Amino acid sequence: MRAAYTEQLASLGHTLGDMAALAGASMEKATDALLQADLAVAEQVISEYDRMAELTRTAEEQAFALLALQAPVAGDLRQVVSTIQIVADVDRMGALALHVAKIARRRHPQHALPDQVNGYFAEMGRIAVALGRATQEVLETRDPERAATLHDEDEAMDDLHRHLFTLLMDRDWPYGVAAAVDVTLLGRFYERFADHAVEVGRRVIFLVTGSLPSPDPEDHLAGRT
């Protein structure tokens, strides 16, 4: 029974890793579609979301099967419950990439972004893709120290988002309301993608250590409040 449980849990971990890899790849393509006004790439991201939905269903089924058939307790129960929560976070990362692609598609053949903010979104996209890859690594290795480092990249994303908001609030913003709405939504999508990656890291720390970290995971690992 124990061997079967361990095997099923490992299979679930692989599914989560596949989901994180897909979320990162989708955000990379969505960013390219956004910056290049590339309709074909945007459509590819949108069509590939079916794969994310399929992986989400698989992960949920695996997790609930563990609950129903293995009746885990204590640390085992913590792992399964944490995994169910992680499924939701990674699925949301994929959905946020989908939202970026949909805006690129809706504005085609025009660019959704004014030239003034292209650099911001190129960097936000780079950070998001890096976080997607790091999330995959954390899920596969279950390394709490590596999980804690996701917070640093999120801070860089937050800084970019704040600077972007400053531009939007400038009374001399010359690009009109529609562009402002698109930039606001897109900035939020990238920020939330990063937030979900950090949340996965926090849940992995909890899964491994049994202690849910503070909002700053590095403070938690260092024993500070």
Side-chain angles (χ1 to χ4, degrees):
M1 290 291 291
R2 185 67 191 179
Y5 171 81
T6 302
E7 183 178 337
Q8 290 170 332
L9 194 61
S11 176
L12 180 52
H14 289 313
T15 302
L16 288 174
D18 289 345
M19 289 176 65
L22 181 58
S26 295
M27 185 56 92
E28 185 170 25
K29 293 174 185 175
T31 301
D32 288 343
L34 182 67
L35 295 175
Q36 305 302 325
D38 191 323
L39 179 61
V41 175
E43 294 284 8
Q44 183 180 1
V45 174
I46 293 165
S47 65
E48 287 178 351
Y49 184 72
D50 288 344
R51 175 59 179 158
M52 177 63 78
E54 178 185 342
L55 286 170
T56 298
R57 286 192 298 270
T58 298
E60 289 176 340
E61 289 170 0
Q62 290 175 325
F64 288 125
L66 282 170
L67 284 176
L69 300 177
Q70 302 293 340
V73 296
D76 290 343
L77 180 61
R78 181 180 74 239
Q79 290 191 54
V80 176
V81 172
S82 296
T83 297
I84 291 170
Q85 295 170 322
I86 289 169
V87 171
D89 282 308
V90 182
D91 177 74
R92 189 59 189 156
M93 291 168 70
L96 289 161
L98 174 69
H99 294 335
V100 172
K102 284 184 173 180
I103 287 183
R105 180 178 67 175
R106 184 166 66 245
R107 295 305 180 195
H108 186 269
Q110 304 299 318
H111 285 75
L113 298 174
D115 290 342
Q116 183 182 1
V117 300
N118 274 344
Y120 286 89
F121 282 94
E123 181 62 9
M124 291 171 86
R126 183 198 67 78
I127 293 170
V129 172
L131 278 167
R133 291 170 180 161
T135 301
Q136 179 187 7
E137 178 186 348
V138 165
L139 288 169
E140 291 176 347
T141 65
R142 303 285 180 91
D143 181 351
E145 296 287 344
R146 180 69 178 97
T149 66
L150 299 181
H151 180 74
D152 292 336
E153 286 292 296
D154 181 51
E155 285 190 338
M157 182 73 84
D158 287 342
D159 286 343
L160 284 166
H161 188 250
R162 282 192 291 269
H163 292 154
L164 190 64
F165 191 71
T166 299
L167 287 178
L168 290 169
M169 294 303 294
D170 190 333
R171 60 190 300 175
D172 294 324
W173 170 264
Y175 302 107
V177 173
V181 170
D182 282 344
V183 170
T184 300
L185 287 173
L186 287 163
R188 183 61 173 163
F189 295 155
Y190 282 93
E191 182 197 32
R192 290 301 296 153
F193 186 97
D195 288 344
H196 282 289
V198 172
E199 190 61 24
V200 170
R202 293 181 71 241
R203 295 191 190 283
V204 167
I205 293 170
F206 174 67
L207 185 155
V208 173
T209 68
S211 179
L212 189 66
S214 64
D216 184 340
E218 291 185 342
D219 283 352
H220 169 76
L221 289 174
R224 299 188 297 269
T225 58

